[in-house]
């Protein structure tokens, strides 16, 4: 179901529980997010079999947070490399035009 702002209300099942969540974008994107969360939860359960779903969810969230932080750090590093290369190219072009 979509509201006026384009958000969708979907039911996603994670750890045997059904959650009604509001998502922006397509159902396919929401499914990819659900799948990523479920895979992360499965990985946590395989490495540390826990019976407490809350503990599993927290560990999965920590894993996802770590992955997000690592991606953000990599992105910043790449942005700096692009900036440096762009500056070098601009200098070479300036020198060639003088």
């Amino acid at each position: 179901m979509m509201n006026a702002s384009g958000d969708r209300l979907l039911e996603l099942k994670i750890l045997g529980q059904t959650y009604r969540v509001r998502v922006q974008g397509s159902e396919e994107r929401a499914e990819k997010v659900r799948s990523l969360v479920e895979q992360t939860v499965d990985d946590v359960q395989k490495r540390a079999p826990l019976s407490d779903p809350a503990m599993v969810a927290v560990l999965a969230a920590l894993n996802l947070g770590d992955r997000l932080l690592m991606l953000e750090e990599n992105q910043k590093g790449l942005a700096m490399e692009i900036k440096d290369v762009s500056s070098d190219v601009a200098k070479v072009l300036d020198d060639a035009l003088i």
Side-chain angles (χ1 to χ4, degrees), residues 14-87:
I14 301 170
L15 281 174
Q17 294 288 330
T18 301
Y19 299 91
R20 292 186 67 158
V21 295
R22 189 171 315 282
V23 298
Q24 292 182 334
S26 69
E27 288 185 37
E28 292 80 18
R29 188 173 195 291
E31 176 56 31
K32 285 181 183 180
V33 171
R34 186 211 56 80
S35 180
L36 176 62
V37 170
E38 187 171 304
Q39 182 60 52
T40 305
V41 166
D42 289 345
D43 290 346
V44 166
Q45 287 179 320
K46 286 177 187 170
R47 285 183 279 154
L50 301 166
S51 59
D52 182 7
M55 180 67 82
V56 172
V58 168
L59 291 173
L62 288 170
N63 281 315
L64 289 169
D66 182 55
R67 288 169 62 181
L68 176 61
L69 185 58
M70 186 172 36
L71 289 170
E72 288 174 345
E73 290 168 350
N74 288 342
Q75 181 184 17
K76 285 180 185 177
L78 290 172
M80 289 300 295
E81 286 182 45
I82 290 169
K83 183 179 177 184
D84 291 344
V85 170
S86 297
S87 294

